[in-house]
Amino acid sequence: MSVTPLLEIKNLHVEFKVYGGVLKVLDGVDFRVNVGEKVGLVGETGCGKTTTMKAILRILPVPPARITGGEVLFKGRDILKMKERELRETRGRGISMIFQDPTAALNPVFTIGAQLEPVIRHASPENRRLSKKELRKLAVIPLKEVALADPERLLDAYPIQLSGGMRQRVCIGMALATNPELLIADEPGTSLDVTIQDQVLRLLQRLVEQRHSSVILISHTLGIVRQMCDRVYVMYAGNMVEEAPTRKLFANPLHPYTRGLMAAVPRLSGGGVAMGIPGRIPSYLHPPSGCRFHPRCPQAMEICKHEKPAFQQAEDDHRVACFLYDPAVAEPQKEATTA
Amino acid sequence: AAPAAPAAPAEAPAAQPTEAPAEAPAPAAGPTTLRVTFAWPTFIDPAVGNDFSSSSSLINLYDTLVFPSPDGGIVPWLAESWDVSDDGLSYTFHLKQGVKFHDGSELTASDVVYSFNRLKGIGEGFAYMLADAESAEAVDDYTVTITLGKPSGLFLPSLLRLFIVNEDLVRANTAAEGPYGENGDYGKEWLLTHDAGSGPYKVKEFQLEEYLLMEKNEDWWGEFAPNAPDEIRFIGTTEAATIRTLMANRELEISDQWQTVQALEALDEIEGVDIAALPTMTEFYFMINTKIPPTDDVHCRRAMAWAFDYDTAVGLEWPGTRQSQGPVPASLGGHNPDVFVFHRDLEKAKEELAQCKYADEIENYPVEIHWVSEVPDEEKFALLFQSNMAEIGIPVKVVSIPWLSMVENTSSMETSPHIATIYVSSDLPEAGTMLFQRYHSSTANQWLQNEWLLDEEFDARIEDALATVDQEERFAKYYELQDYIAELAPSLFIYDQAEKHAYQSYVDWPALRGEMSAVMGYYFFGPQIQVNPH
Amino acid sequence: MSNDILTVENLKKHFVIGYTGLIHREPITVKAVDGVSFSIREGETFGLVGESGSGKSTVAYITVGMYRPTSGTIYLRGEDLFAQGDERPLRFKKEIQIVYQDPGSSLNPRRTIKDILDLPLRIHQPHKNRTLEILRLLNEVELPPDYMHKYPRQLSGGEKQIIAIARALASDPSLIVLDEPTSALDVSVQGKVINLLIRLQQELNLSYLFITHDLSLMRNVATRVAIMYLGKICEVADAAEFFQNPQHPYTQMLLSSIPVLSEEEEKLKPSKIHSIGEIPSPVNVPPGCSFHQRCPYVMDVCKVVDPVMVETGPGHTVRCHLFEQPPAPAAVPETSSTVEAAT
Amino acid sequence: MAQQTAEWTGFNITEQELRRMRWQTRRENLGRSWYKFSRNPLSVVGGATVLIIILAAIFAPYITPYPDHATRPFTDFANASQPPSLEHWFGTDEIGRDIFSRTVFGFRFSLTMGVVVLSMVVPVGVILGLIAGYFQGSRIDTIIMRITDIFLAVPPLILALAIASVLEPNLFNSMVAVSLMWWPWYTRLVYGQATALRNEFFVSSAEVTGASTAHILFREILPNTLSPIFTKISLDMGWVIIIGASLSFVGLGVQPPKPGLGTMVASGAKYLPDQWWISLFPALAIVVLVLGFNLLGDGLRDLFAAEEI
Amino acid sequence: MRTLTFIARRAFHAIFVLLGLSIVIFIIARIMPGDPARVAVGARAPEWVVEQLREQMHLNDPLPIQYYYWLTDALHGDFGISLVTRRNVADDIREFFPASLELAFTSLLITAVLGIGLGTLSARHKDKFIDNVVRVISYMGVVTPSFVFAILFLLLFGYVLDLFPTIGRLSEGVPRPPTVTGFMTIDSLLAGNFTALFDALHHLILPAMALAMGTMAQEARITRASMSENLTKDYIAAIRAFGVPERTVMGRFLLKPSLIATISIMGLDFAGGLANAFLVELIFVWPGLSRYGMNAILRKDLNAISAVILVLGVVFIVVNIIVDLVVARLDPRIGLRAARSD
Ligand SMILES: Nc1ncnc2c1ncn2[C@@H]1O[C@H](COP(=O)(O)OP(=O)(O)OP(=O)(O)O)[C@@H](O)[C@H]1O
Ligand SMILES: Nc1ncnc2c1ncn2[C@@H]1O[C@H](COP(=O)(O)OP(=O)(O)OP(=O)(O)O)[C@@H](O)[C@H]1O
Ligand SMILES: [Mg+2]
Ligand SMILES: [Mg+2]
């Protein structure tokens, strides 16, 4: 597997200006995707997963949102500094995204065709010269690829006329229609039933493997990430707290948050349901000082309240943002926990 | 007598706008137009219309047997002469020959008879004015006899309202279905938007609620003044802002008479626009209900009459307006110049009030004064009355009321307000007409009389006066009756209305010089008006 | 079985959602629940699992009295809940309570927690001191007393769901219907709620009708499980037995679709059977077995004949043609490999 | 005496403390509401405008230079149609009355009209809407909503005119007339809300608990429709005032000598543009008043907006 | 087919509404003060004339019987004789209604173009200077009654600047095209009379503007609100993420869903504008239905009142159906609300 980074996010800060103050949502996010890699991103609701992805594509709704720092390097160029034209080239052909909620991501008042055609038209310079008819022919292809029956007819259907599973597939089709180098899949299939979700995920897997695209897969269901990804990031309240190859992470989660999360998942093998992590995700208006997790952390130390832990290597290719693994700070505690 | 054709220099050539060079910005080439605004609707069916705008249209579209002279009398017109039987019940008219209707057919005696029967048969419009006339008969093609039921001093002037229609044309356009038996609908529907007359102008276009456009009837038997308008357009609006804009843009020659004093002042400011205040047969009354407390007590009424500030009230009107002298306008024949007139005198007012049987608890008898909401200026008078009465302690409530409600309310004694502010116009230029209209018991349930005088003596005396054929004798009776009414103080006589019109100074309007009759509508008799585009 | 608290017998609910044509107006119906029977024992947690639209909520709503069934009936300790015409007697309303799936919409946003908890108390426990009772309830569900005056929007999702539970407890019921009580919550919060429910059940001797589509969760809370598909129950079994020996093809498909966290769990999945096809619309339920279009083991008979429930073991019933002839079950594992190729 | 809560509740707190908690939460909520409202300065401006106008209307006799000009029979034709001056800030009208005083008093009647109309309209409209919405699909729904449709289909101003001409044309009857054409809009608004809300789980929850219909309508559903209702009320205040002005154009409405803003504009319009002040100032007063209510309404919308901070 | 069913069903419901409406109208018209027959012929006409008219209008019959006559006649398109114009009310309506419609349509056009345009502008530059300007304008528009605009425009554009003709539908001297549709502009066009066409358009502008101001402001506000709301929707983010240029995003994918709210309001405004235009019609001497209805009320013209209210009621209902159809066409989520009252 190649290790050239396709996408690299460095110290990204995003705020939302809302009435009542500023939500400091992303607080120095570091993130990397290598060419051909499938990266997972997990975390509780509202921890900033979608925000991070939207920031990559610069599609955050701009009056409330503001990117206050950091860089998003795609193939070495900073997306945040791109001009309109360059940005348009990067979007779609470079990076494409499957949105979390397929119902919300499809414009309810346009037919599938009407939404798909401009996407294809702008997917490459040649396509721009195509006639409406030719475009329509092209539009059928991505729908066929996602195994939708009768794609011709589907082009004239409105989103409302499709089932949830079909909508999700259309979204996948649209996202892949531009043949992106990097595909961001934001919780694909979460709104679907288990069996249908399973179908969709397998389909997605097959398609990206065919194209050798890189993938970012977002989910708060750990099992899905485990099933699909090579490497996993764990996010909490606007920070990356842990990163490791999938197998490693599930075998040996380090961050207390990751552990809490994993413990809380009910197992098919039985054994009861753990209590979960106490408390709730903090308000972004007044985020906790120091480590944002400290108010909920069972192993919080004094330093956690004041200082923000660095996101650093704990073992090789296993990074974690926690003082427990900072040799300078918490050698004794570490011993205690591993015991 | 010879028809008093419009006084005009006959030899003056019709001003032809032959050379209308580019420098003239005003209506240059094309026909000259006289544009006048009116309150709508306008009925051009002579058996239906009887209001101001209808009268003004009818006199231009139709001819009548007689024509009013500026001094209040009448002169021959279609009827070149007439004879009266000794009992005063039968009039024989000799018609002018060769008069052509607009369709070219000749006007004959049978048309007169048909018009007479049609008006009476339909019964609307001005029909009531011919109530005493019983039948008409064509003696030959050019002779007509009309028979009266009882002698009347007012019969001849009332013929001003008998417009002669083209019998054949009307019959040809009569719908068979209609309320008038064998006469079907009497051609009512058709005549609503078409004319069947022989008058100096004929209908060119008629747009409901918008305008009536008439064009000159070149074949008219009478004479046109040299610059008489080629077209007359009556426009249906009285909106101040609209009038003003039209006037300023020279798109209107004469305004309607409903403009407020302030609006007139503003119009006067416009260059080339002047204001005319023409005498009318209309008086503005505060009609006092004499049958409900506290105004059923004559002292109370007199107290009000003494307390009212006539000078201020008259001052609210256009300069030159005068306080009414008694119950009939001074412009009418038979007006008594010596009739008793109230003026403001608070002392006298208080004295009278003291004699009123409600004096001690007058504050428990609020007097309601109703003014017609469609005539906003009336509010000022009502308010003035309110504040004047406050000075002598009579509480007054001012109520604005739509005209229709006023009509409804005045139809019964109980609902008639204490005071209704109403303009009444005399049908004919004689004091007796007005006295009858205003105070005879037969009008008590109409808006013409809010007083509910119901005075048998008065009824008998006015009936007698009207039947008196001799003018001098008749007038003497009117004089006494005016004193009789003044004594009862059933109304406050505010002022004799002047018809105020803004007009363009390029209009030569004989009415300004007193050369036109004050009978309703005749100020707009087109052949006598001249429009001089410069 | 005298210790059954709730017995559901051949329950049907068909919704009329429209009419065909303008002149020939025939009702278009959704067979949301189509002949469901099961019973819940005193003190147990009966799990109802199924995909979206399979009619789980409809069963729940009928149980609590929001709908009247089209046919069939429900007995509460032997008494027919629908015997008395339209309005269900208060005493039944007291006995059966519900916790809805969406904590956001199940609490009136314009009423305080106190108001919310007050209503069932006022109706069902009118003689008690309600303020004290509310405090007691809050304590019971481990929330601080100052929550009394808060509005739902000031609470987190988990807390809202806990308030909903407290409300259900207020009338002192014996059966609580839990309609996906944690599916809108994060796993980290879910634990707390589930544990609370389990503790309450033990303390108050409650019975639960627990609805969810999360089989892993079901494995950990239910004593018995029923699987629903398109308005019908296709398999019922004790929880442990169910996960060890899933029999209905749909059950297997469900189990194999679950994303899991560990190898150990992976082994429990009949992993070779993959999900195919879309869930048919309940308006157009296919003839025969409603699952036949997605079933990897479909036989000709499945397309025409609707199977009936057969007992395959103690307390384990399945509604599938494969099990109607005794030797069938053995066939299941072998055929699965051919199915893989089909996807 | 502060009473200790019974121990079995599990908490050991006094009633006083409970009360204190309540106040604290209330204060918090109020603070939050004010915050949401005030974050848009225009809402505050609107609220302040409305407040000032209400106060001015209440204290009109004390703050106007010539209260007599608005309350008593008064004419002073010598001073008629004077342009604005130090003595008469807004000038005088065609009868010599101080327009400023009359405008301030005019607020009284405009506000009264608004308040009275809405207090007749809102309860009727809302209750009908609630009932029809809650019993959606039943016969009662059909009846109520058909009647509503009928009234909606009648052109409002014409209906008002017709009614006002049936009754004596005074302020109250004009208000009745306006009310008659207004309620269906509330019914419709609430109907839409109620049909949506009746499917909410909190309503079902109350139903299955055994709550009475009245409780469900007024305690569960009504509070959730209040925000659009209040927003509409504040916007409608403006509309009612404008409608009132239109009615007075044809002679209905406030009776003289009392000043109605609409009447003042209408009668002053005849003197445009020369005596512009006669109609301009009352017109501005209407605009300011309506604007105030509109801004306030927008503020209320923000206040009630679901989004939480 | 679905559309047809929808229209059929709505029309069916409309029948009930209209029936109810007719009863309301009828009652209102009859309880208004004044004897219509007397009002029609004037105070001075003899009693027999009045009686004749009363008889002709069935005014002497009990109310239900009067209603029966009125209804059966109305069903035949016969609304009786107007007491004001003395013509068949049906003829009057044929004359005035097109004039009103023409005005209302023009105003609708202005409203749509300016309202949506300003709203879009405002949403695009949300919270910037332009936005604030538009908002102030729209507030002013909303709170100022249309008759104030009418007077203002008349004085400003007609009097001070003298840019526009002030009254009526055509200038004098311009020959009227033969009446086909009653729409002066269309009739002129049909007759190939371009002088009349331009003149008619010229006459339309001021009254239509006066009528449009308030609704335009309203629509600008609504467009702005729904646009800025939709701007934060995921589907906008999504289509952007696929590299579709901003122009297409704003002009197509944002505009259409945002128009739905605006269009619903526009329908109501159109129907309302038709009914409430009388002051504007009065000021511009526009021979419209609203002014006709107003006069009818002031003169207690029973038949005319009933007919006008009925016509306006029908317009209201028809417009509502059209709006529903348009909205359903624009927004498949809403669909046809035929089931609403089932
Ligand atoms: N448009 C917005 N306006 C204001 N705040 C926002 C907006 N979008 C996101 N946020 C804030 O950012 C936080 C993170 O949101 P985000 O959608 O990125 O979370 P997430 O991790 O994707 O959650 P989920 O799993 O629910 O999708 C939220 O808590 C919210 O408060
Ligand atoms: N009131 C109703 N009117 C019409 N159809 C309904 C109604 N309620 C439910 N349905 C239909 O009945 C079927 C079963 O719905 P139900 O809500 O019971 O399913 P569910 O299993 O609870 O699904 P989910 O997991 O999505 O909650 C669905 O197809 C639904 O569309
Ligand atoms: Mg997300
Ligand atoms: Mg459900």
Side-chain angles (χ1 to χ4, degrees), chain D residues 37-49 291-299 302, chain E residues 131-132 135-136 139:
Chain D
F37 179 77
S38 64
R39 70 203 176 185
N40 182 355
L42 281 181
S43 324
V44 184
V45 171
T49 310
L291 189 61
F293 275 108
N294 271 271
L295 293 176
L296 179 67
D298 285 358
D302 289 348
Chain E
D131 181 28
N132 288 328
R135 288 177 73 187
V136 169
Y139 269 122

mmCIF file of all heavy atoms in Angstrom, chain D residues 37-49 291-299 302, chain E residues 131-132 135-136 139:
data_model
loop_
_atom_site.group_PDB
_atom_site.id
_atom_site.type_symbol
_atom_site.label_atom_id
_atom_site.label_comp_id
_atom_site.label_asym_id
_atom_site.label_seq_id
_atom_site.Cartn_x
_atom_site.Cartn_y
_atom_site.Cartn_z
ATOM 1 N N PHE D 37 -34.489 37.046 21.715
ATOM 2 C CA PHE D 37 -35.260 38.125 21.125
ATOM 3 C C PHE D 37 -34.367 39.307 20.792
ATOM 4 O O PHE D 37 -34.450 39.893 19.716
ATOM 5 C CB PHE D 37 -36.356 38.536 22.107
ATOM 6 C CG PHE D 37 -37.216 39.666 21.626
ATOM 7 C CD1 PHE D 37 -38.196 39.427 20.677
ATOM 8 C CD2 PHE D 37 -37.049 40.942 22.119
ATOM 9 C CE1 PHE D 37 -38.998 40.467 20.227
ATOM 10 C CE2 PHE D 37 -37.851 41.973 21.664
ATOM 11 C CZ PHE D 37 -38.819 41.733 20.730
ATOM 12 N N SER D 38 -33.482 39.610 21.720
ATOM 13 C CA SER D 38 -32.752 40.864 21.597
ATOM 14 C C SER D 38 -31.545 40.759 20.678
ATOM 15 O O SER D 38 -30.943 41.760 20.354
ATOM 16 C CB SER D 38 -32.294 41.333 22.971
ATOM 17 O OG SER D 38 -31.387 40.403 23.496
ATOM 18 N N ARG D 39 -31.215 39.533 20.266
ATOM 19 C CA ARG D 39 -30.029 39.432 19.416
ATOM 20 C C ARG D 39 -30.271 40.082 18.062
ATOM 21 O O ARG D 39 -29.340 40.413 17.360
ATOM 22 C CB ARG D 39 -29.624 37.981 19.259
ATOM 23 C CG ARG D 39 -30.587 37.218 18.419
ATOM 24 C CD ARG D 39 -30.523 35.760 18.700
ATOM 25 N NE ARG D 39 -31.553 35.107 17.915
ATOM 26 C CZ ARG D 39 -31.824 33.832 18.004
ATOM 27 N NH1 ARG D 39 -31.173 33.069 18.839
ATOM 28 N NH2 ARG D 39 -32.768 33.303 17.270
ATOM 29 N N ASN D 40 -31.520 40.244 17.715
ATOM 30 C CA ASN D 40 -31.798 41.003 16.508
ATOM 31 C C ASN D 40 -32.237 42.402 16.929
ATOM 32 O O ASN D 40 -33.324 42.589 17.445
ATOM 33 C CB ASN D 40 -32.912 40.327 15.703
ATOM 34 C CG ASN D 40 -33.195 41.063 14.412
ATOM 35 O OD1 ASN D 40 -32.636 42.129 14.160
ATOM 36 N ND2 ASN D 40 -34.064 40.496 13.596
ATOM 37 N N PRO D 41 -31.351 43.386 16.707
ATOM 38 C CA PRO D 41 -31.653 44.729 17.223
ATOM 39 C C PRO D 41 -32.985 45.261 16.706
ATOM 40 O O PRO D 41 -33.682 45.996 17.398
ATOM 41 C CB PRO D 41 -30.490 45.583 16.718
ATOM 42 C CG PRO D 41 -29.681 44.725 15.834
ATOM 43 C CD PRO D 41 -30.070 43.313 16.025
ATOM 44 N N LEU D 42 -33.359 44.837 15.478
ATOM 45 C CA LEU D 42 -34.608 45.357 14.919
ATOM 46 C C LEU D 42 -35.819 44.943 15.754
ATOM 47 O O LEU D 42 -36.763 45.699 15.907
ATOM 48 C CB LEU D 42 -34.782 44.870 13.484
ATOM 49 C CG LEU D 42 -33.977 45.630 12.440
ATOM 50 C CD1 LEU D 42 -34.250 45.085 11.056
ATOM 51 C CD2 LEU D 42 -34.284 47.114 12.498
ATOM 52 N N SER D 43 -35.774 43.726 16.295
ATOM 53 C CA SER D 43 -36.897 43.289 17.132
ATOM 54 C C SER D 43 -37.032 44.199 18.330
ATOM 55 O O SER D 43 -38.131 44.560 18.748
ATOM 56 C CB SER D 43 -36.686 41.868 17.641
ATOM 57 O OG SER D 43 -36.053 41.100 16.686
ATOM 58 N N VAL D 44 -35.886 44.543 18.903
ATOM 59 C CA VAL D 44 -35.929 45.406 20.075
ATOM 60 C C VAL D 44 -36.493 46.765 19.693
ATOM 61 O O VAL D 44 -37.336 47.323 20.392
ATOM 62 C CB VAL D 44 -34.520 45.544 20.688
ATOM 63 C CG1 VAL D 44 -34.585 46.370 21.952
ATOM 64 C CG2 VAL D 44 -33.954 44.178 20.971
ATOM 65 N N VAL D 45 -36.033 47.253 18.534
ATOM 66 C CA VAL D 45 -36.561 48.532 18.066
ATOM 67 C C VAL D 45 -38.080 48.420 17.910
ATOM 68 O O VAL D 45 -38.835 49.281 18.370
ATOM 69 C CB VAL D 45 -35.918 48.927 16.715
ATOM 70 C CG1 VAL D 45 -36.633 50.133 16.122
ATOM 71 C CG2 VAL D 45 -34.454 49.238 16.919
ATOM 72 N N GLY D 46 -38.512 47.323 17.283
ATOM 73 C CA GLY D 46 -39.945 47.126 17.097
ATOM 74 C C GLY D 46 -40.679 47.073 18.418
ATOM 75 O O GLY D 46 -41.685 47.759 18.619
ATOM 76 N N GLY D 47 -40.149 46.285 19.334
ATOM 77 C CA GLY D 47 -40.785 46.163 20.642
ATOM 78 C C GLY D 47 -40.854 47.512 21.335
ATOM 79 O O GLY D 47 -41.890 47.894 21.882
ATOM 80 N N ALA D 48 -39.742 48.240 21.262
ATOM 81 C CA ALA D 48 -39.712 49.543 21.924
ATOM 82 C C ALA D 48 -40.720 50.486 21.287
ATOM 83 O O ALA D 48 -41.452 51.199 21.979
ATOM 84 C CB ALA D 48 -38.302 50.138 21.836
ATOM 85 N N THR D 49 -40.768 50.460 19.954
ATOM 86 C CA THR D 49 -41.727 51.319 19.257
ATOM 87 C C THR D 49 -43.139 51.028 19.744
ATOM 88 O O THR D 49 -43.890 51.938 20.099
ATOM 89 C CB THR D 49 -41.665 51.058 17.735
ATOM 90 O OG1 THR D 49 -40.314 51.107 17.336
ATOM 91 C CG2 THR D 49 -42.485 52.077 16.984
ATOM 92 N N LEU D 291 -45.096 49.042 11.356
ATOM 93 C CA LEU D 291 -43.699 48.608 11.291
ATOM 94 C C LEU D 291 -43.269 48.059 12.644
ATOM 95 O O LEU D 291 -42.642 46.999 12.729
ATOM 96 C CB LEU D 291 -42.822 49.793 10.891
ATOM 97 C CG LEU D 291 -41.374 49.490 10.556
ATOM 98 C CD1 LEU D 291 -41.307 48.556 9.373
ATOM 99 C CD2 LEU D 291 -40.623 50.765 10.243
ATOM 100 N N GLY D 292 -43.633 48.779 13.691
ATOM 101 C CA GLY D 292 -43.297 48.323 15.040
ATOM 102 C C GLY D 292 -43.823 46.924 15.272
ATOM 103 O O GLY D 292 -43.097 46.040 15.726
ATOM 104 N N PHE D 293 -45.068 46.709 14.927
ATOM 105 C CA PHE D 293 -45.648 45.390 15.158
ATOM 106 C C PHE D 293 -45.000 44.329 14.277
ATOM 107 O O PHE D 293 -44.816 43.193 14.700
ATOM 108 C CB PHE D 293 -47.160 45.424 14.939
ATOM 109 C CG PHE D 293 -47.904 45.873 16.151
ATOM 110 C CD1 PHE D 293 -48.504 47.114 16.214
ATOM 111 C CD2 PHE D 293 -47.967 45.052 17.271
ATOM 112 C CE1 PHE D 293 -49.174 47.525 17.347
ATOM 113 C CE2 PHE D 293 -48.639 45.462 18.405
ATOM 114 C CZ PHE D 293 -49.237 46.703 18.444
ATOM 115 N N ASN D 294 -44.656 44.712 13.066
ATOM 116 C CA ASN D 294 -44.000 43.751 12.192
ATOM 117 C C ASN D 294 -42.635 43.339 12.728
ATOM 118 O O ASN D 294 -42.288 42.167 12.736
ATOM 119 C CB ASN D 294 -43.832 44.340 10.792
ATOM 120 C CG ASN D 294 -45.030 44.041 9.934
ATOM 121 O OD1 ASN D 294 -45.069 43.010 9.280
ATOM 122 N ND2 ASN D 294 -46.013 44.907 9.958
ATOM 123 N N LEU D 295 -41.892 44.325 13.148
ATOM 124 C CA LEU D 295 -40.572 44.021 13.686
ATOM 125 C C LEU D 295 -40.709 43.162 14.929
ATOM 126 O O LEU D 295 -39.996 42.180 15.122
ATOM 127 C CB LEU D 295 -39.828 45.312 14.013
ATOM 128 C CG LEU D 295 -39.463 46.164 12.804
ATOM 129 C CD1 LEU D 295 -38.821 47.469 13.243
ATOM 130 C CD2 LEU D 295 -38.522 45.416 11.894
ATOM 131 N N LEU D 296 -41.675 43.542 15.753
ATOM 132 C CA LEU D 296 -41.916 42.764 16.964
ATOM 133 C C LEU D 296 -42.276 41.327 16.582
ATOM 134 O O LEU D 296 -41.795 40.365 17.178
ATOM 135 C CB LEU D 296 -43.051 43.409 17.753
ATOM 136 C CG LEU D 296 -43.449 42.711 19.042
ATOM 137 C CD1 LEU D 296 -42.325 42.799 20.050
ATOM 138 C CD2 LEU D 296 -44.708 43.334 19.619
ATOM 139 N N GLY D 297 -43.115 41.208 15.577
ATOM 140 C CA GLY D 297 -43.526 39.876 15.130
ATOM 141 C C GLY D 297 -42.340 39.057 14.666
ATOM 142 O O GLY D 297 -42.209 37.881 15.021
ATOM 143 N N ASP D 298 -41.466 39.677 13.902
ATOM 144 C CA ASP D 298 -40.279 38.952 13.461
ATOM 145 C C ASP D 298 -39.433 38.538 14.650
ATOM 146 O O ASP D 298 -38.859 37.452 14.686
ATOM 147 C CB ASP D 298 -39.453 39.827 12.510
ATOM 148 C CG ASP D 298 -40.112 39.911 11.147
ATOM 149 O OD1 ASP D 298 -41.166 39.262 10.981
ATOM 150 O OD2 ASP D 298 -39.586 40.609 10.272
ATOM 151 N N GLY D 299 -39.372 39.440 15.633
ATOM 152 C CA GLY D 299 -38.621 39.120 16.846
ATOM 153 C C GLY D 299 -39.230 37.938 17.562
ATOM 154 O O GLY D 299 -38.528 37.030 18.009
ATOM 155 N N ASP D 302 -38.339 34.761 15.994
ATOM 156 C CA ASP D 302 -37.012 34.322 16.417
ATOM 157 C C ASP D 302 -37.070 33.717 17.815
ATOM 158 O O ASP D 302 -36.461 32.689 18.088
ATOM 159 C CB ASP D 302 -36.039 35.512 16.468
ATOM 160 C CG ASP D 302 -35.695 36.013 15.084
ATOM 161 O OD1 ASP D 302 -36.024 35.284 14.122
ATOM 162 O OD2 ASP D 302 -35.126 37.103 14.975
ATOM 163 N N ASP E 131 -28.830 43.657 1.264
ATOM 164 C CA ASP E 131 -29.865 42.934 2.002
ATOM 165 C C ASP E 131 -30.638 43.887 2.900
ATOM 166 O O ASP E 131 -31.869 43.888 2.931
ATOM 167 C CB ASP E 131 -29.184 41.831 2.824
ATOM 168 C CG ASP E 131 -30.188 41.019 3.613
ATOM 169 O OD1 ASP E 131 -31.338 40.917 3.175
ATOM 170 O OD2 ASP E 131 -29.808 40.502 4.673
ATOM 171 N N ASN E 132 -29.913 44.705 3.615
ATOM 172 C CA ASN E 132 -30.591 45.630 4.523
ATOM 173 C C ASN E 132 -31.464 46.617 3.776
ATOM 174 O O ASN E 132 -32.565 46.928 4.205
ATOM 175 C CB ASN E 132 -29.567 46.363 5.386
ATOM 176 C CG ASN E 132 -28.971 45.428 6.415
ATOM 177 O OD1 ASN E 132 -29.646 44.516 6.874
ATOM 178 N ND2 ASN E 132 -27.707 45.623 6.741
ATOM 179 N N ARG E 135 -34.525 44.847 2.739
ATOM 180 C CA ARG E 135 -35.403 44.583 3.880
ATOM 181 C C ARG E 135 -36.167 45.833 4.288
ATOM 182 O O ARG E 135 -37.360 45.773 4.575
ATOM 183 C CB ARG E 135 -34.589 44.044 5.049
ATOM 184 C CG ARG E 135 -34.134 42.627 4.792
ATOM 185 C CD ARG E 135 -33.287 42.123 5.908
ATOM 186 N NE ARG E 135 -34.094 41.834 7.088
ATOM 187 C CZ ARG E 135 -33.558 41.507 8.255
ATOM 188 N NH1 ARG E 135 -32.266 41.465 8.397
ATOM 189 N NH2 ARG E 135 -34.327 41.238 9.278
ATOM 190 N N VAL E 136 -35.461 46.953 4.300
ATOM 191 C CA VAL E 136 -36.155 48.189 4.660
ATOM 192 C C VAL E 136 -37.257 48.477 3.651
ATOM 193 O O VAL E 136 -38.403 48.775 4.004
ATOM 194 C CB VAL E 136 -35.158 49.370 4.728
ATOM 195 C CG1 VAL E 136 -35.912 50.682 4.833
ATOM 196 C CG2 VAL E 136 -34.228 49.191 5.918
ATOM 197 N N TYR E 139 -40.136 46.152 4.245
ATOM 198 C CA TYR E 139 -40.933 46.541 5.410
ATOM 199 C C TYR E 139 -41.868 47.689 5.063
ATOM 200 O O TYR E 139 -43.057 47.689 5.375
ATOM 201 C CB TYR E 139 -40.035 46.959 6.571
ATOM 202 C CG TYR E 139 -39.684 45.827 7.482
ATOM 203 C CD1 TYR E 139 -38.369 45.467 7.727
ATOM 204 C CD2 TYR E 139 -40.700 45.092 8.107
ATOM 205 C CE1 TYR E 139 -38.060 44.414 8.558
ATOM 206 C CE2 TYR E 139 -40.392 44.038 8.940
ATOM 207 C CZ TYR E 139 -39.069 43.703 9.167
ATOM 208 O OH TYR E 139 -38.773 42.667 9.989
#
